[in-house]
Amino acid sequence: MKQSILIVEDIHSIREAIMDLLSTKFNVFGAEHFEEAVWYLTNEKIDLTITDIRLPGKSGIDLVKLIQKEFPHILYALMTAYNINEYIKFAKDLHIWNIIPKYSFLDIHLIEVMVKKLLSNDIFGIEKYFTGDFKVYSQNINNEFEEAPNNGIIYKQIKSDQDRSILCGKISKNLIQLGAPKAIQQVLEELTSNAMIRAPRTHEGEYKYQFEIPSHDMVVPLDNIQLMPDDYFLIGYGATESTIFIVVRDQFGSLKKEEILHRLDRHISIDESTGFPKGLEDSHGRGLYICREISDQLIFNIEPGVCTETIAMINREGRTGFKSLSIYEVDPSKKTNLDSES
């Protein structure tokens, strides 16, 4: 049986474009405003609602609040033509994990990928964002550096801080030659540092390669880290005709989606008493914010206790506009159901 999606958008052309895109694989309903959306939610079996934030009358955020209260089984996501950073605080307070911009065909494609990930519970893999003969090279993860493939991604394993430093330097040089900004080096440093230092935890939840000073919201990494085999992580890099990307994947899934929004909100929100971001003096969180600012898309895929995959994508032709909020987490109850069906 096809799953059902409700698209709530007051601009007819945009609503129809999204509905046409999704209608080949899903039952799709369209609503122009809050009241019409409520009718469909009440009278149809809806699995996922995607709503514009700004609607005539009550807003998409009002609709999400209603879904959370009256229809808790229904998944939801937002879209907007405006700066998504303006809605990060709402996202944090209301547990909204996905907001997609809607200003180009590229973003229509992102909506399609988002829908498939949310409804299938199959969230991992950058290949979901590309079509055609995109290839994944993961058979030589222990070999030395290789240049980024065309229309594909190659993975390498990191076993120590020394490995990380050498590989990040070579990858950044390669990607800059392909058109990435020089700041790609910082994205590599931040994402791999998080995978090596912040992700590994003991069974008790303690950090393995750094020590924490809770009173100062501070963590201090150890020197010359040599990872244990269970703590090795992967870095992937590559390019297509339109996009350059980095993928970092650890084996812990210890990153919390609530923590992502908390840190983003801290660095986006301004402290009225100082005029500076509230998180300016935080000991961590800036790296996540900086990676998002440098990247055109920063995507988090999390299976708690199993894996965190962070994807940074940069458009080779320059900035594409506002950035999405893309945080996905495996629902363990749905995973069990899928496993039993397969």
Side-chain angles (χ1 to χ4, degrees), residues 125-128 133-139 149 151-155 249:
I126 192 171
E127 58 272 17
K128 291 179 172 58
D133 57 352
F134 185 90
K135 294 181 180 179
V136 177
Y137 300 90
S138 57
Q139 65 272 29
N151 203 30
I153 183 168
I154 188 166
Y155 285 96
R249 186 185 296 169

PDB file of all heavy atoms in Angstrom, residues 125-128 133-139 149 151-155 249:
ATOM      1  N   GLY A 125      23.854   7.206   3.659  1.00  0.00           N
ATOM      2  CA  GLY A 125      24.409   7.112   2.325  1.00  0.00           C
ATOM      3  C   GLY A 125      24.240   8.368   1.496  1.00  0.00           C
ATOM      4  O   GLY A 125      23.107   8.791   1.223  1.00  0.00           O
ATOM      5  N   ILE A 126      25.342   8.979   1.085  1.00  0.00           N
ATOM      6  CA  ILE A 126      25.272  10.187   0.255  1.00  0.00           C
ATOM      7  C   ILE A 126      24.748   9.877  -1.133  1.00  0.00           C
ATOM      8  O   ILE A 126      24.225  10.754  -1.824  1.00  0.00           O
ATOM      9  CB  ILE A 126      26.664  10.859   0.179  1.00  0.00           C
ATOM     10  CG1 ILE A 126      26.522  12.261  -0.430  1.00  0.00           C
ATOM     11  CG2 ILE A 126      27.649   9.988  -0.602  1.00  0.00           C
ATOM     12  CD1 ILE A 126      27.774  13.095  -0.360  1.00  0.00           C
ATOM     13  N   GLU A 127      24.835   8.615  -1.550  1.00  0.00           N
ATOM     14  CA  GLU A 127      24.372   8.248  -2.885  1.00  0.00           C
ATOM     15  C   GLU A 127      22.887   8.521  -3.090  1.00  0.00           C
ATOM     16  O   GLU A 127      22.413   8.634  -4.231  1.00  0.00           O
ATOM     17  CB  GLU A 127      24.680   6.779  -3.185  1.00  0.00           C
ATOM     18  CG  GLU A 127      24.080   5.770  -2.229  1.00  0.00           C
ATOM     19  CD  GLU A 127      24.970   5.474  -1.012  1.00  0.00           C
ATOM     20  OE1 GLU A 127      25.891   6.266  -0.728  1.00  0.00           O
ATOM     21  OE2 GLU A 127      24.706   4.452  -0.365  1.00  0.00           O
ATOM     22  N   LYS A 128      22.131   8.651  -2.002  1.00  0.00           N
ATOM     23  CA  LYS A 128      20.710   8.969  -2.119  1.00  0.00           C
ATOM     24  C   LYS A 128      20.477  10.332  -2.762  1.00  0.00           C
ATOM     25  O   LYS A 128      19.394  10.605  -3.294  1.00  0.00           O
ATOM     26  CB  LYS A 128      20.045   8.926  -0.739  1.00  0.00           C
ATOM     27  CG  LYS A 128      19.940   7.532  -0.140  1.00  0.00           C
ATOM     28  CD  LYS A 128      19.295   7.570   1.229  1.00  0.00           C
ATOM     29  CE  LYS A 128      19.018   6.156   1.733  1.00  0.00           C
ATOM     30  NZ  LYS A 128      20.220   5.318   1.818  1.00  0.00           N
ATOM     31  N   ASP A 133      25.072   7.043 -12.637  1.00  0.00           N
ATOM     32  CA  ASP A 133      26.099   6.038 -12.359  1.00  0.00           C
ATOM     33  C   ASP A 133      27.013   6.449 -11.207  1.00  0.00           C
ATOM     34  O   ASP A 133      28.200   6.133 -11.207  1.00  0.00           O
ATOM     35  CB  ASP A 133      26.932   5.783 -13.615  1.00  0.00           C
ATOM     36  CG  ASP A 133      27.576   7.057 -14.164  1.00  0.00           C
ATOM     37  OD1 ASP A 133      27.247   8.149 -13.667  1.00  0.00           O
ATOM     38  OD2 ASP A 133      28.409   6.947 -15.093  1.00  0.00           O
ATOM     39  N   PHE A 134      26.477   7.144 -10.212  1.00  0.00           N
ATOM     40  CA  PHE A 134      27.245   7.513  -9.017  1.00  0.00           C
ATOM     41  C   PHE A 134      27.764   6.244  -8.342  1.00  0.00           C
ATOM     42  O   PHE A 134      27.019   5.295  -8.129  1.00  0.00           O
ATOM     43  CB  PHE A 134      26.361   8.299  -8.052  1.00  0.00           C
ATOM     44  CG  PHE A 134      27.091   8.843  -6.841  1.00  0.00           C
ATOM     45  CD1 PHE A 134      27.660  10.097  -6.878  1.00  0.00           C
ATOM     46  CD2 PHE A 134      27.193   8.095  -5.676  1.00  0.00           C
ATOM     47  CE1 PHE A 134      28.323  10.604  -5.772  1.00  0.00           C
ATOM     48  CE2 PHE A 134      27.859   8.596  -4.565  1.00  0.00           C
ATOM     49  CZ  PHE A 134      28.423   9.846  -4.623  1.00  0.00           C
ATOM     50  N   LYS A 135      29.065   6.232  -7.993  1.00  0.00           N
ATOM     51  CA  LYS A 135      29.681   5.020  -7.454  1.00  0.00           C
ATOM     52  C   LYS A 135      30.255   5.260  -6.055  1.00  0.00           C
ATOM     53  O   LYS A 135      30.726   6.349  -5.748  1.00  0.00           O
ATOM     54  CB  LYS A 135      30.795   4.528  -8.388  1.00  0.00           C
ATOM     55  CG  LYS A 135      30.287   4.055  -9.743  1.00  0.00           C
ATOM     56  CD  LYS A 135      31.420   3.543 -10.624  1.00  0.00           C
ATOM     57  CE  LYS A 135      30.891   3.069 -11.972  1.00  0.00           C
ATOM     58  NZ  LYS A 135      31.989   2.585 -12.856  1.00  0.00           N
ATOM     59  N   VAL A 136      30.201   4.217  -5.251  1.00  0.00           N
ATOM     60  CA  VAL A 136      30.768   4.242  -3.898  1.00  0.00           C
ATOM     61  C   VAL A 136      31.966   3.300  -3.872  1.00  0.00           C
ATOM     62  O   VAL A 136      31.834   2.104  -4.146  1.00  0.00           O
ATOM     63  CB  VAL A 136      29.722   3.796  -2.856  1.00  0.00           C
ATOM     64  CG1 VAL A 136      30.352   3.758  -1.466  1.00  0.00           C
ATOM     65  CG2 VAL A 136      28.513   4.733  -2.883  1.00  0.00           C
ATOM     66  N   TYR A 137      33.153   3.860  -3.525  1.00  0.00           N
ATOM     67  CA  TYR A 137      34.380   3.070  -3.464  1.00  0.00           C
ATOM     68  C   TYR A 137      34.772   2.900  -1.992  1.00  0.00           C
ATOM     69  O   TYR A 137      35.248   3.826  -1.349  1.00  0.00           O
ATOM     70  CB  TYR A 137      35.514   3.777  -4.212  1.00  0.00           C
ATOM     71  CG  TYR A 137      35.229   4.019  -5.675  1.00  0.00           C
ATOM     72  CD1 TYR A 137      34.602   5.192  -6.097  1.00  0.00           C
ATOM     73  CD2 TYR A 137      35.593   3.084  -6.645  1.00  0.00           C
ATOM     74  CE1 TYR A 137      34.346   5.426  -7.443  1.00  0.00           C
ATOM     75  CE2 TYR A 137      35.334   3.305  -7.997  1.00  0.00           C
ATOM     76  CZ  TYR A 137      34.707   4.481  -8.382  1.00  0.00           C
ATOM     77  OH  TYR A 137      34.454   4.716  -9.712  1.00  0.00           O
ATOM     78  N   SER A 138      34.542   1.708  -1.462  1.00  0.00           N
ATOM     79  CA  SER A 138      34.840   1.460  -0.046  1.00  0.00           C
ATOM     80  C   SER A 138      35.699   0.222   0.155  1.00  0.00           C
ATOM     81  O   SER A 138      35.912  -0.213   1.289  1.00  0.00           O
ATOM     82  CB  SER A 138      33.537   1.314   0.746  1.00  0.00           C
ATOM     83  OG  SER A 138      32.736   0.280   0.207  1.00  0.00           O
ATOM     84  N   GLN A 139      36.213  -0.336  -0.935  1.00  0.00           N
ATOM     85  CA  GLN A 139      36.980  -1.576  -0.816  1.00  0.00           C
ATOM     86  C   GLN A 139      38.432  -1.343  -0.416  1.00  0.00           C
ATOM     87  O   GLN A 139      39.115  -2.281   0.026  1.00  0.00           O
ATOM     88  CB  GLN A 139      36.920  -2.383  -2.122  1.00  0.00           C
ATOM     89  CG  GLN A 139      37.578  -1.710  -3.321  1.00  0.00           C
ATOM     90  CD  GLN A 139      36.621  -0.804  -4.080  1.00  0.00           C
ATOM     91  OE1 GLN A 139      35.696  -0.251  -3.496  1.00  0.00           O
ATOM     92  NE2 GLN A 139      36.844  -0.671  -5.385  1.00  0.00           N
ATOM     93  N   PRO A 149      37.169  10.638  -6.752  1.00  0.00           N
ATOM     94  CA  PRO A 149      36.651  10.122  -8.028  1.00  0.00           C
ATOM     95  C   PRO A 149      35.647  11.079  -8.654  1.00  0.00           C
ATOM     96  O   PRO A 149      35.036  11.900  -7.966  1.00  0.00           O
ATOM     97  CB  PRO A 149      35.959   8.820  -7.614  1.00  0.00           C
ATOM     98  CG  PRO A 149      35.531   9.067  -6.198  1.00  0.00           C
ATOM     99  CD  PRO A 149      36.594   9.935  -5.586  1.00  0.00           C
ATOM    100  N   ASN A 151      32.077  11.698 -10.086  1.00  0.00           N
ATOM    101  CA  ASN A 151      30.746  11.116  -9.911  1.00  0.00           C
ATOM    102  C   ASN A 151      30.759   9.911  -8.974  1.00  0.00           C
ATOM    103  O   ASN A 151      30.216   8.852  -9.272  1.00  0.00           O
ATOM    104  CB  ASN A 151      30.140  10.706 -11.254  1.00  0.00           C
ATOM    105  CG  ASN A 151      28.623  10.627 -11.185  1.00  0.00           C
ATOM    106  OD1 ASN A 151      28.008  11.357 -10.418  1.00  0.00           O
ATOM    107  ND2 ASN A 151      28.025   9.753 -11.964  1.00  0.00           N
ATOM    108  N   GLY A 152      31.418  10.093  -7.830  1.00  0.00           N
ATOM    109  CA  GLY A 152      31.470   9.029  -6.841  1.00  0.00           C
ATOM    110  C   GLY A 152      32.127   9.497  -5.564  1.00  0.00           C
ATOM    111  O   GLY A 152      32.556  10.643  -5.444  1.00  0.00           O
ATOM    112  N   ILE A 153      32.200   8.584  -4.612  1.00  0.00           N
ATOM    113  CA  ILE A 153      32.816   8.875  -3.319  1.00  0.00           C
ATOM    114  C   ILE A 153      33.758   7.730  -2.957  1.00  0.00           C
ATOM    115  O   ILE A 153      33.466   6.559  -3.223  1.00  0.00           O
ATOM    116  CB  ILE A 153      31.750   9.068  -2.216  1.00  0.00           C
ATOM    117  CG1 ILE A 153      32.406   9.450  -0.886  1.00  0.00           C
ATOM    118  CG2 ILE A 153      30.868   7.819  -2.049  1.00  0.00           C
ATOM    119  CD1 ILE A 153      31.419   9.938   0.153  1.00  0.00           C
ATOM    120  N   ILE A 154      34.886   8.085  -2.359  1.00  0.00           N
ATOM    121  CA  ILE A 154      35.844   7.084  -1.902  1.00  0.00           C
ATOM    122  C   ILE A 154      36.021   7.233  -0.401  1.00  0.00           C
ATOM    123  O   ILE A 154      36.067   8.355   0.123  1.00  0.00           O
ATOM    124  CB  ILE A 154      37.198   7.233  -2.639  1.00  0.00           C
ATOM    125  CG1 ILE A 154      38.123   6.066  -2.292  1.00  0.00           C
ATOM    126  CG2 ILE A 154      37.864   8.579  -2.369  1.00  0.00           C
ATOM    127  CD1 ILE A 154      39.314   5.956  -3.231  1.00  0.00           C
ATOM    128  N   TYR A 155      36.085   6.103   0.309  1.00  0.00           N
ATOM    129  CA  TYR A 155      36.194   6.116   1.767  1.00  0.00           C
ATOM    130  C   TYR A 155      37.588   5.670   2.209  1.00  0.00           C
ATOM    131  O   TYR A 155      38.188   4.773   1.612  1.00  0.00           O
ATOM    132  CB  TYR A 155      35.153   5.184   2.389  1.00  0.00           C
ATOM    133  CG  TYR A 155      33.748   5.738   2.369  1.00  0.00           C
ATOM    134  CD1 TYR A 155      32.853   5.393   1.358  1.00  0.00           C
ATOM    135  CD2 TYR A 155      33.313   6.617   3.360  1.00  0.00           C
ATOM    136  CE1 TYR A 155      31.568   5.897   1.330  1.00  0.00           C
ATOM    137  CE2 TYR A 155      32.023   7.133   3.344  1.00  0.00           C
ATOM    138  CZ  TYR A 155      31.157   6.768   2.319  1.00  0.00           C
ATOM    139  OH  TYR A 155      29.892   7.287   2.313  1.00  0.00           O
ATOM    140  N   ARG A 249      31.857   9.280   9.098  1.00  0.00           N
ATOM    141  CA  ARG A 249      30.970   8.284   9.696  1.00  0.00           C
ATOM    142  C   ARG A 249      31.670   7.589  10.850  1.00  0.00           C
ATOM    143  O   ARG A 249      32.712   6.960  10.670  1.00  0.00           O
ATOM    144  CB  ARG A 249      30.554   7.273   8.619  1.00  0.00           C
ATOM    145  CG  ARG A 249      29.504   6.257   9.072  1.00  0.00           C
ATOM    146  CD  ARG A 249      29.251   5.240   7.977  1.00  0.00           C
ATOM    147  NE  ARG A 249      28.692   5.837   6.781  1.00  0.00           N
ATOM    148  CZ  ARG A 249      28.581   5.211   5.618  1.00  0.00           C
ATOM    149  NH1 ARG A 249      29.018   3.968   5.488  1.00  0.00           N
ATOM    150  NH2 ARG A 249      28.053   5.824   4.584  1.00  0.00           N
TER     151      ARG A 249
END
